[in-house]
Amino acid sequence: MKYLLLGYTPAAAWDAATADTPSEEATAAFAAYQRFERELIETGEFVGSEGLGHPVVSTTVRRTSDGVVATDGPFAELKEVLASFAVIDVAGRERAVEIASRIVEVLGEPIEIRPIMDEEFTA
């Protein structure tokens, strides 16, 4: 079963001006995450992952009474913002929780786990 792992970071800690210059702590955490990602590649459970651009460069598209409009910026003001995602293909929810727990141990930020709806989806 495939799961989407959504990585969140505190909005206040993610400064758009310094997003391209991570701290030593962030660099070390990312290196540890990359080692764990390689483990998942070896077990065949890793599908893919990506970091996301800073929320200030996002665009939100929504339907309004005037039609569909695109506006700059995120949909709403948030205390935490979506910073990354990964897709894993594992035996079940328990394994997805184990994997997300290891990522949280390394990065220290919350991970939301969502099943990907396909022919195997049973909720």
Side-chain angles (χ1 to χ4, degrees):
M1 175 134 198
K2 289 183 183 172
Y3 289 88
L4 178 64
L5 307 181
L6 300 168
Y8 291 88
T9 193
W14 194 1
D15 180 4
T18 61
D20 293 330
T21 55
S23 67
E24 285 183 29
E25 180 181 283
T27 301
F30 185 65
Y33 172 78
Q34 287 180 314
R35 287 190 297 275
F36 180 54
E37 191 175 272
R38 284 191 294 272
E39 286 180 37
L40 295 176
I41 290 168
E42 290 173 11
T43 65
E45 296 173 304
F46 183 77
V47 175
S49 70
E50 297 291 339
L52 301 174
H54 193 281
V56 298
V57 297
S58 66
T59 301
T60 300
V61 179
R62 67 176 63 98
R63 184 172 52 196
T64 70
S65 59
D66 296 325
V68 176
V69 296
T71 56
D72 291 340
F75 180 70
E77 294 292 321
L78 303 170
K79 292 183 180 183
E80 292 180 332
V81 295
L82 183 61
S84 64
F85 71 89
V87 177
I88 56 174
D89 191 355
V90 296
R93 182 183 176 280
E94 185 175 304
R95 178 64 178 147
V97 170
E98 288 173 15
I99 290 169
S101 296
R102 286 193 56 196
I103 296 170
V104 170
E105 284 177 18
V106 170
L107 300 180
E109 296 174 348
I111 298 286
E112 179 181 347
I113 302 169
R114 291 221 191 148
I116 294 176
M117 297 174 68
D118 63 7
E119 65 277 354
E120 297 177 34
F121 183 74
T122 58

mmCIF file of all heavy atoms in Angstrom, residues 89-107:
data_model
loop_
_atom_site.group_PDB
_atom_site.id
_atom_site.type_symbol
_atom_site.label_atom_id
_atom_site.label_comp_id
_atom_site.label_asym_id
_atom_site.label_seq_id
_atom_site.Cartn_x
_atom_site.Cartn_y
_atom_site.Cartn_z
ATOM 1 N N ASP A 89 5.903 2.795 -0.383
ATOM 2 C CA ASP A 89 5.046 1.666 -0.751
ATOM 3 C C ASP A 89 5.385 0.551 0.225
ATOM 4 O O ASP A 89 6.421 -0.099 0.100
ATOM 5 C CB ASP A 89 5.318 1.248 -2.194
ATOM 6 C CG ASP A 89 4.283 0.267 -2.717
ATOM 7 O OD1 ASP A 89 3.408 -0.162 -1.940
ATOM 8 O OD2 ASP A 89 4.360 -0.071 -3.915
ATOM 9 N N VAL A 90 4.535 0.354 1.222
ATOM 10 C CA VAL A 90 4.832 -0.548 2.334
ATOM 11 C C VAL A 90 3.680 -1.525 2.559
ATOM 12 O O VAL A 90 2.609 -1.392 1.973
ATOM 13 C CB VAL A 90 5.111 0.257 3.627
ATOM 14 C CG1 VAL A 90 6.356 1.116 3.468
ATOM 15 C CG2 VAL A 90 3.935 1.137 4.006
ATOM 16 N N ALA A 91 3.910 -2.477 3.456
ATOM 17 C CA ALA A 91 2.915 -3.511 3.735
ATOM 18 C C ALA A 91 1.630 -2.959 4.350
ATOM 19 O O ALA A 91 0.558 -3.496 4.128
ATOM 20 C CB ALA A 91 3.512 -4.580 4.638
ATOM 21 N N GLY A 92 1.740 -1.887 5.134
ATOM 22 C CA GLY A 92 0.544 -1.351 5.764
ATOM 23 C C GLY A 92 0.830 -0.145 6.627
ATOM 24 O O GLY A 92 1.963 0.348 6.707
ATOM 25 N N ARG A 93 -0.212 0.333 7.314
ATOM 26 C CA ARG A 93 -0.135 1.542 8.123
ATOM 27 C C ARG A 93 0.935 1.435 9.203
ATOM 28 O O ARG A 93 1.652 2.405 9.462
ATOM 29 C CB ARG A 93 -1.495 1.824 8.750
ATOM 30 C CG ARG A 93 -1.523 3.089 9.574
ATOM 31 C CD ARG A 93 -2.884 3.310 10.243
ATOM 32 N NE ARG A 93 -2.854 4.464 11.105
ATOM 33 C CZ ARG A 93 -2.349 4.464 12.340
ATOM 34 N NH1 ARG A 93 -1.834 3.366 12.851
ATOM 35 N NH2 ARG A 93 -2.354 5.564 13.062
ATOM 36 N N GLU A 94 1.045 0.292 9.846
ATOM 37 C CA GLU A 94 2.021 0.134 10.927
ATOM 38 C C GLU A 94 3.441 0.428 10.437
ATOM 39 O O GLU A 94 4.200 1.138 11.094
ATOM 40 C CB GLU A 94 1.941 -1.277 11.507
ATOM 41 C CG GLU A 94 2.832 -1.486 12.712
ATOM 42 C CD GLU A 94 2.637 -2.859 13.324
ATOM 43 O OE1 GLU A 94 1.483 -3.192 13.676
ATOM 44 O OE2 GLU A 94 3.644 -3.581 13.440
ATOM 45 N N ARG A 95 3.790 -0.091 9.264
ATOM 46 C CA ARG A 95 5.127 0.164 8.707
ATOM 47 C C ARG A 95 5.273 1.633 8.323
ATOM 48 O O ARG A 95 6.334 2.232 8.534
ATOM 49 C CB ARG A 95 5.390 -0.744 7.505
ATOM 50 C CG ARG A 95 6.716 -0.509 6.838
ATOM 51 C CD ARG A 95 7.901 -0.824 7.738
ATOM 52 N NE ARG A 95 9.137 -0.625 7.009
ATOM 53 C CZ ARG A 95 10.269 -0.194 7.544
ATOM 54 N NH1 ARG A 95 10.336 0.052 8.839
ATOM 55 N NH2 ARG A 95 11.338 -0.031 6.801
ATOM 56 N N ALA A 96 4.222 2.243 7.799
ATOM 57 C CA ALA A 96 4.265 3.671 7.459
ATOM 58 C C ALA A 96 4.535 4.504 8.710
ATOM 59 O O ALA A 96 5.325 5.455 8.677
ATOM 60 C CB ALA A 96 2.968 4.103 6.792
ATOM 61 N N VAL A 97 3.915 4.140 9.827
ATOM 62 C CA VAL A 97 4.136 4.848 11.091
ATOM 63 C C VAL A 97 5.575 4.660 11.561
ATOM 64 O O VAL A 97 6.214 5.606 12.039
ATOM 65 C CB VAL A 97 3.120 4.400 12.166
ATOM 66 C CG1 VAL A 97 3.493 4.946 13.537
ATOM 67 C CG2 VAL A 97 1.708 4.830 11.766
ATOM 68 N N GLU A 98 6.123 3.445 11.432
ATOM 69 C CA GLU A 98 7.523 3.204 11.802
ATOM 70 C C GLU A 98 8.454 4.105 11.006
ATOM 71 O O GLU A 98 9.375 4.714 11.561
ATOM 72 C CB GLU A 98 7.906 1.750 11.541
ATOM 73 C CG GLU A 98 7.300 0.745 12.487
ATOM 74 C CD GLU A 98 7.604 -0.700 12.060
ATOM 75 O OE1 GLU A 98 8.504 -0.907 11.207
ATOM 76 O OE2 GLU A 98 6.938 -1.609 12.575
ATOM 77 N N ILE A 99 8.227 4.195 9.706
ATOM 78 C CA ILE A 99 9.076 5.011 8.837
ATOM 79 C C ILE A 99 8.941 6.489 9.200
ATOM 80 O O ILE A 99 9.935 7.198 9.362
ATOM 81 C CB ILE A 99 8.736 4.750 7.361
ATOM 82 C CG1 ILE A 99 9.212 3.344 6.979
ATOM 83 C CG2 ILE A 99 9.347 5.814 6.455
ATOM 84 C CD1 ILE A 99 8.711 2.858 5.631
ATOM 85 N N ALA A 100 7.719 6.970 9.342
ATOM 86 C CA ALA A 100 7.500 8.375 9.692
ATOM 87 C C ALA A 100 8.120 8.701 11.042
ATOM 88 O O ALA A 100 8.701 9.777 11.224
ATOM 89 C CB ALA A 100 6.011 8.697 9.691
ATOM 90 N N SER A 101 8.049 7.766 11.975
ATOM 91 C CA SER A 101 8.632 7.986 13.303
ATOM 92 C C SER A 101 10.136 8.194 13.223
ATOM 93 O O SER A 101 10.702 9.047 13.908
ATOM 94 C CB SER A 101 8.316 6.814 14.230
ATOM 95 O OG SER A 101 6.933 6.720 14.437
ATOM 96 N N ARG A 102 10.786 7.423 12.377
ATOM 97 C CA ARG A 102 12.237 7.593 12.205
ATOM 98 C C ARG A 102 12.564 8.939 11.591
ATOM 99 O O ARG A 102 13.545 9.587 11.966
ATOM 100 C CB ARG A 102 12.822 6.463 11.368
ATOM 101 C CG ARG A 102 12.896 5.172 12.183
ATOM 102 C CD ARG A 102 13.728 4.106 11.572
ATOM 103 N NE ARG A 102 15.106 4.488 11.283
ATOM 104 C CZ ARG A 102 15.890 3.793 10.463
ATOM 105 N NH1 ARG A 102 15.433 2.712 9.864
ATOM 106 N NH2 ARG A 102 17.122 4.182 10.237
ATOM 107 N N ILE A 103 11.763 9.380 10.647
ATOM 108 C CA ILE A 103 11.995 10.690 10.029
ATOM 109 C C ILE A 103 11.812 11.792 11.072
ATOM 110 O O ILE A 103 12.606 12.727 11.152
ATOM 111 C CB ILE A 103 11.067 10.903 8.821
ATOM 112 C CG1 ILE A 103 11.387 9.882 7.722
ATOM 113 C CG2 ILE A 103 11.182 12.337 8.281
ATOM 114 C CD1 ILE A 103 10.367 9.845 6.594
ATOM 115 N N VAL A 104 10.767 11.683 11.886
ATOM 116 C CA VAL A 104 10.517 12.685 12.927
ATOM 117 C C VAL A 104 11.668 12.704 13.930
ATOM 118 O O VAL A 104 12.098 13.778 14.375
ATOM 119 C CB VAL A 104 9.161 12.432 13.620
ATOM 120 C CG1 VAL A 104 9.002 13.303 14.853
ATOM 121 C CG2 VAL A 104 8.019 12.679 12.640
ATOM 122 N N GLU A 105 12.205 11.535 14.278
ATOM 123 C CA GLU A 105 13.359 11.490 15.180
ATOM 124 C C GLU A 105 14.523 12.283 14.612
ATOM 125 O O GLU A 105 15.209 12.992 15.340
ATOM 126 C CB GLU A 105 13.798 10.049 15.415
ATOM 127 C CG GLU A 105 12.917 9.268 16.344
ATOM 128 C CD GLU A 105 13.362 7.823 16.487
ATOM 129 O OE1 GLU A 105 14.525 7.502 16.145
ATOM 130 O OE2 GLU A 105 12.543 7.003 16.937
ATOM 131 N N VAL A 106 14.752 12.178 13.311
ATOM 132 C CA VAL A 106 15.882 12.855 12.664
ATOM 133 C C VAL A 106 15.610 14.339 12.465
ATOM 134 O O VAL A 106 16.438 15.182 12.804
ATOM 135 C CB VAL A 106 16.198 12.191 11.303
ATOM 136 C CG1 VAL A 106 17.189 13.014 10.501
ATOM 137 C CG2 VAL A 106 16.738 10.787 11.510
ATOM 138 N N LEU A 107 14.458 14.672 11.915
ATOM 139 C CA LEU A 107 14.172 16.058 11.552
ATOM 140 C C LEU A 107 13.510 16.856 12.666
ATOM 141 O O LEU A 107 13.552 18.083 12.654
ATOM 142 C CB LEU A 107 13.305 16.101 10.287
ATOM 143 C CG LEU A 107 13.913 15.451 9.047
ATOM 144 C CD1 LEU A 107 12.956 15.564 7.869
ATOM 145 C CD2 LEU A 107 15.261 16.066 8.704
#
